[in-house]
Amino acid sequence: MARILLVEDNKEFRSMLRALLQEAGHEVVEAGDGQAAIEHLRRTAYDLLVTDVLLPQADGTEVIKAVRGVNGKISIIAISGGGRELPAVVALALTEALGAHRTLFKPFRDAELLAAVKELLPVASS
């Protein structure tokens, strides 16, 4: 079982992702904005970070920078549906440049997220 920090501002989508990850046997802690995520990362060790790119308070790139300052070995999955402010392709390219290990475009299938989690957890625990 891994400890996963899930950062997503859409409450319904975050709840669905949490349930999916918990059903897969993981402990999931939620954050609804980037600043809350950064505070969680400073207080608790996580095996995996799943973060939206476009977030209130601090965006996903700021969350990734913060986690790299606290835990350089954590694996990261960046997710984005884009938006008017930043197309998904650009947003995910930015997160990859900062060190995200996998990127997923919304909407993605449950199996895609679970496969990425399964693939990255051995990296996180080594």
Side-chain angles (χ1 to χ4, degrees), residues 77-122:
I77 298 173
I79 58 177
S80 182
R84 289 179 298 200
E85 300 85 17
L86 189 63
V89 175
V90 174
L92 294 177
L94 286 170
T95 58
E96 285 178 341
L98 293 172
H101 297 91
R102 293 292 171 273
T103 56
L104 298 174
F105 292 99
K106 296 176 191 174
F108 49 83
R109 291 187 294 277
D110 293 354
E112 291 178 278
L113 176 61
L114 293 175
V117 169
K118 184 176 181 181
E119 178 184 346
L120 292 175
L121 283 177

Side-chain angles (χ1 to χ4, degrees), residues 1-19:
M1 173 175 75
R3 179 179 288 151
I4 298 173
L5 178 59
L6 173 61
V7 189
E8 168 61 54
D9 59 326
N10 181 297
K11 187 176 180 178
E12 293 80 23
F13 189 58
R14 186 174 69 237
S15 178
M16 186 273 301
L17 292 177
R18 182 194 70 236

Side-chain angles (χ1 to χ4, degrees), residues 34-58:
Q35 190 57 46
I38 291 168
E39 291 171 19
H40 281 293
L41 290 164
R42 289 182 178 149
R43 291 191 312 258
T44 306
Y46 294 92
D47 301 305
L48 180 68
L49 170 66
V50 178
T51 185
D52 193 3
V53 176
L54 298 176
L55 295 165
Q57 306 302 319

Side-chain angles (χ1 to χ4, degrees), residues 67-78:
V67 75
R68 288 290 176 230
V70 174
N71 180 354
K73 294 184 179 184
I74 191 172
S75 291
I76 300 169
I77 298 173

